[in-house]
Amino acid sequence: MKQIIIETSYGNTGFCCACDLLAGWVVTGSDDFETFKKEVQESIDFYLACAKEDGEEIPAEFQGEYELIYKFDVRSLLQLYQGIFSFAALQSITGINQKQLSHYAAGRSKPRREQAEKISNGLHRLAKQIMTLTV
């Protein structure tokens, strides 16, 4: 199954995304990520149907089965998990001050590469830890 990268960010109206494979294609939408994912799939389906109807070439990656992989910037990632983790918990997971995390989530500042990696690595460590748990 082909994997399609969806570059995801967060703006004033909610989540937004683009895909390099679809020229000019952009989706903006909901604050709710599950709703947003449905909107993205509907938009891709519509884009491909229109391209086919207009006789335009459809990227090979979209022919057959494919999976959408959402690649988040720091702001969109923090917005996604803000309702699940408090900034205090994220501070413990990432080692980054709560106040600074809130600035990143609100878009008031953008993290340096090292800070972004600390956030990503902290969440990956947590996920690996959770995967080893049994009940």
Side-chain angles (χ1 to χ4, degrees), residues 8-78:
T8 308
S9 58
Y10 192 87
N12 294 334
T13 59
F15 289 98
C16 53
C17 68
C19 178
D20 292 340
L21 299 172
L22 302 174
W25 179 82
V26 175
V27 174
T28 62
S30 177
D31 278 340
D32 176 67
F33 189 68
E34 291 305 314
T35 300
F36 180 70
K37 287 190 333 185
K38 290 175 188 170
E39 293 168 350
V40 167
Q41 188 62 62
E42 289 171 2
S43 179
I44 289 173
D45 293 344
F46 182 71
Y47 182 101
L48 296 175
C50 289
K52 186 176 180 180
E53 187 176 302
D54 293 343
E56 295 177 17
E57 187 175 334
I58 295 174
E61 292 84 354
F62 288 97
Q63 296 173 12
E65 290 188 32
Y66 61 88
E67 174 185 18
L68 300 178
I69 304 296
Y70 291 86
K71 182 179 176 187
F72 294 91
D73 65 8
V74 170
R75 182 179 183 193
S76 62
L77 184 69
L78 291 174

Side-chain angles (χ1 to χ4, degrees), residues 92-126:
S92 177
I93 293 167
T94 65
I96 298 172
N97 180 287
Q98 295 178 53
K99 189 171 183 173
Q100 192 61 49
L101 289 166
S102 72
H103 287 302
Y104 297 156
R108 288 188 292 273
S109 64
K110 190 172 180 177
R112 296 184 322 273
R113 174 183 224 84
E114 297 81 21
Q115 296 294 83
E117 288 175 359
K118 283 177 82 172
I119 293 168
S120 178
N121 292 341
L123 290 171
H124 281 115
R125 273 193 311 277
L126 176 64

